[in-house]
Amino acid sequence: MTTTKSTAAERVRAAAEPGTLVLVCLASWAVPGAGHLWLGRRQKGLVFLVALTTMFVIGLFLDGRIFPFDWSEPLVALAAIADVGLGVPWVIARMASQGAGVVTAVTYEYGNCFLIVSGLLNSLVILDAFDIAQGRK
Amino acid sequence: MSHFGLLLVFAFLVSTVFAVLLRDDPKAQLRTGAMMFAGFAAAALALAWLMYPLPL
């Protein structure tokens, strides 16, 4: 018997397979809100996409730095891990040689704050997408 | 933009994301987001006022 997946709950159950779970998390990491859009949570997905991308771009405009993975400096390495949380915008910024950071700029620390927090917030968004895909929310 | 202006932009974006993460109903999201934003701004002003007499 075939059934139409018309409700959010049914869509969630259909996405709960391990392979799909991994793909949802990867999509959510790569593009902020993509996991929610995939799972049918359009309003949430769009808000995450706009808000987190805006935060990241503002961070770059404020001369913030996208930190390198320098394991000899634990705080720098932690900041780098946080930055990676935003996925594709981070990759694009790295490829375009953005985010070098201007230490002497008045807004340098503000920029870092925007960049790091956008990555960390996207990590929470990924966890939320995972929970939704698991049927917990 | 001033430091306080940047703080308000930061507070707006963070409270928006948290409100949408924590609540499902749009009205509840709006209420939570507004309260969180007000909390950010009020805490910043209170800390600034407390630190004002301190020497650099």
Side-chain angles (χ1 to χ4, degrees):
Chain A
M1 187 177 82
T2 57
T3 55
T4 306
K5 291 166 188 162
S6 56
T7 65
E10 282 167 332
R11 282 198 299 270
V12 164
R13 273 196 295 274
E17 296 159 22
T20 311
L21 267 178
V22 172
L23 286 177
V24 165
C25 290
L26 277 176
S28 197
W29 167 77
V31 180
H36 288 77
L37 290 170
W38 184 338
L39 297 168
R41 310 285 172 107
R42 270 186 224 147
Q43 182 244 7
K44 288 191 172 202
L46 288 175
V47 169
F48 296 143
L49 178 64
V50 172
L52 294 176
T53 309
T54 303
M55 278 190 86
F56 190 78
V57 172
I58 290 175
L60 290 179
F61 270 107
L62 292 176
D63 293 320
R65 182 182 182 200
I66 296 177
F67 288 93
F69 287 97
D70 182 1
W71 301 107
S72 64
E73 297 278 347
L75 291 179
V76 170
L78 285 173
I81 292 168
D83 285 341
V84 173
L86 211 64
V88 167
W90 174 84
V91 173
I92 292 172
R94 286 294 293 255
M95 288 174 70
S97 300
Q98 296 296 308
V102 181
V103 182
T104 52
V106 177
T107 55
Y108 174 69
E109 293 296 346
Y110 291 91
N112 289 341
C113 189
F114 274 82
L115 290 173
I116 290 170
V117 171
S118 64
L120 292 176
L121 283 175
N122 198 42
S123 304
L124 291 179
V125 169
I126 295 168
L127 290 176
D128 192 57
F130 179 79
D131 278 346
I132 293 169
Q134 284 274 53
R136 292 182 188 146
K137 291 181 85 175
Chain B
M1 189 180 274
S2 68
H3 290 203
F4 188 64
L6 285 173
L7 182 146
L8 292 181
V9 171
F10 180 82
F12 174 76
L13 291 169
V14 172
S15 48
T16 299
V17 172
F18 268 121
V20 173
L21 262 180
L22 294 173
R23 304 278 182 258
D24 289 326
D25 175 49
K27 279 184 182 173
Q29 288 173 351
L30 197 63
R31 193 168 52 245
T32 305
M35 283 180 66
M36 214 175 282
F37 176 75
F40 268 118
L45 287 172
L47 279 172
W49 181 75
L50 282 172
M51 289 192 291
Y52 186 72
L54 297 178
L56 286 172

